[in-house]
Amino acid sequence: MSKEILINVEPQEKRVAILADKILDEFYIERPNEKTIVGNIYKGKIEAVIPSINGAFVDIGLSKKGFLYLSEIESAYETIDKLTEDNLLEYQPKTVKKGQEVLVQVVKESFGTKGPRLSCQIGIAGRYLVLMPLDPGLGVSRRIENEEERKRLRLIMEQLELPKEFGFIVRTAAMEKTKHELLRDANFLIKLWRRIEKTIPRQRTPSLVYEEYDLTLRVIRDSFTEDVSRLIVDSKAEYYRILKFINSFMSPLRKKVELYKGSDLFGDYDVERQVAKIFEKKVYLKSKAYIVIEPTEGLVVIDVNTGGFKERINQEEAAFKVNCEAAEEIAHQLRLRDLGGIIVIDFIDMEKEEHRRQVLRLLKEALKADRAKYDVLGISKFGLVEMTRERVHNTVATISYQDCPYCQGRGKVKSALTMAIQVIKQLRKFCANKRLRRVSVTVHPDVAAELIKEPQGLKNIERTYHLRVDLISNSSFKVEDIAIT
């Protein structure tokens, strides 16, 4: 499978597209005024402790207070006390109280009215390892399923003789890496943490003490691996910044970085057309069946439909075939759109239990490519699958779109006939208890056409209130606009 990373840089945004065999597999946007804060470490102050929800609200210097579970504070550390002679922070357990200082990391963005989700379990990601400076121990990513490889990586980490006060998690990217590569990554992370430690006591509260990499460097760190054939960027400044970063971490991959010299990187690689489809509700499958994706505030609903599927097989086999195709595409769309929270998938009904199990198995297999954490509960006899997917960042749609100020986010507007009826009601209310000779009503042309088609409503008002109604059609009006003077 051919894999490419394209980076488009504009003055007001950066976009990254990861292609697998020319098909858009992952897509990310970052804008200067909307940079993610996930991964940032803050020196914060507890503003309120709410025992009823086992949580505390923490001021980290942003407009919204962060939320932190009390159990996390108690299991990690409670406050920043002092710097010891060895330049190590000493954390003394104390009762959680208002005004207390805490070191926290953002693990989830703000969503709607909710502030960011915080954690006391600090983790700094490198290329192959995650440093856990406050949590000694060793872990290996669950995505590394080969038991021999897991044992090999554990043995290497034990042989490195790293400081005992630090913990490490071995990332998936560490597979087949050498002892030297892992040691270099570990030493870099330890030096980085030592620098962070030195700055904490000197900084005011609340304040930012460590900022995660921006979009470009995060994608390079996490996705630019040996199986990527090339990375193309259309900004000369970004190109040289990438090369500098790669020289520090992964110099053998330098030869795969290219500077694009054309005028439209995403257009030339057919990415723009594919990106536009991310925002559509309907996603068509090769069989002409389709899925409908409806994100709501609380959950995401996905419906599978046979659509134009025309293969001449019995109903059960048709449902099974469409569901299998849909399962793979649904996993792809969840990753592409970065949809999270509770997800309910309504597959086409299947009578055979074995078919239902196979569809579920296929969905789980397709989800393995997803970096986000997920949990699939099972499939019911009605074809319903309930699952959850980790929601860390704002979705691409949230960044790119805002609620329509016209329909207030409903996604629909009233019909011309409905508005014609409403015009009559508003006219009646406007004319009541007034002495008027003439009234002007300005509406959208479609609404005016409905009123002319059934003129009895306007005639009744003229008769009842002894006045004349002038109907004005204005093409600049929206369907729901009414002006009565």
Side-chain angles (χ1 to χ4, degrees), residues 103-219:
L103 194 66
V104 291
Q105 187 168 36
V106 178
V107 294
K108 190 182 288 188
E109 293 275 15
S110 300
F111 292 105
T113 58
K114 295 179 181 177
R117 166 87 165 79
L118 308 176
S119 173
C120 289
Q121 306 297 326
I122 307 297
I124 303 176
R127 174 71 169 164
Y128 307 120
L129 304 170
V130 177
L131 171 68
M132 308 294 286
L134 311 177
D135 187 16
L138 176 62
V140 179
S141 169
R142 291 179 184 175
R143 293 183 184 277
I144 302 176
E145 296 178 347
N146 185 295
E147 199 56 44
E148 288 302 313
E149 181 64 8
R150 293 178 69 86
K151 286 179 183 176
R152 186 188 74 86
L153 291 167
R154 277 188 175 277
L155 183 61
I156 289 175
M157 292 302 294
E158 288 165 3
Q159 291 172 346
L160 291 181
E161 297 182 357
L162 299 168
K164 298 296 183 186
E165 70 266 26
F166 295 141
F168 287 92
I169 297 172
V170 181
R171 304 186 72 189
T172 312
M175 288 178 68
E176 301 178 5
K177 297 304 170 189
T178 65
K179 183 177 180 179
H180 173 71
E181 288 173 305
L182 296 182
L183 179 61
R184 186 173 63 177
D185 206 38
N187 285 335
F188 168 79
L189 291 171
I190 290 168
K191 286 178 185 175
L192 175 59
W193 175 250
R194 298 292 193 208
R195 287 202 302 270
I196 294 170
E197 268 190 322
K198 288 178 182 178
T199 65
I200 294 172
R202 299 195 296 268
Q203 288 187 278
R204 60 180 177 78
T205 306
S207 63
L208 173 69
V209 298
Y210 169 75
E211 187 172 17
E212 172 64 304
Y213 291 135
D214 69 353
L215 175 61
T216 299
L217 301 188
R218 280 201 318 275
V219 167

Side-chain angles (χ1 to χ4, degrees), residues 219-237:
V219 167
I220 291 171
R221 180 191 67 194
D222 299 339
S223 302
F224 192 26
T225 50
E226 284 75 7
D227 63 335
V228 175
S229 59
R230 55 183 180 161
L231 183 151
I232 309 170
V233 57
D234 62 5
S235 160
K236 188 176 285 188

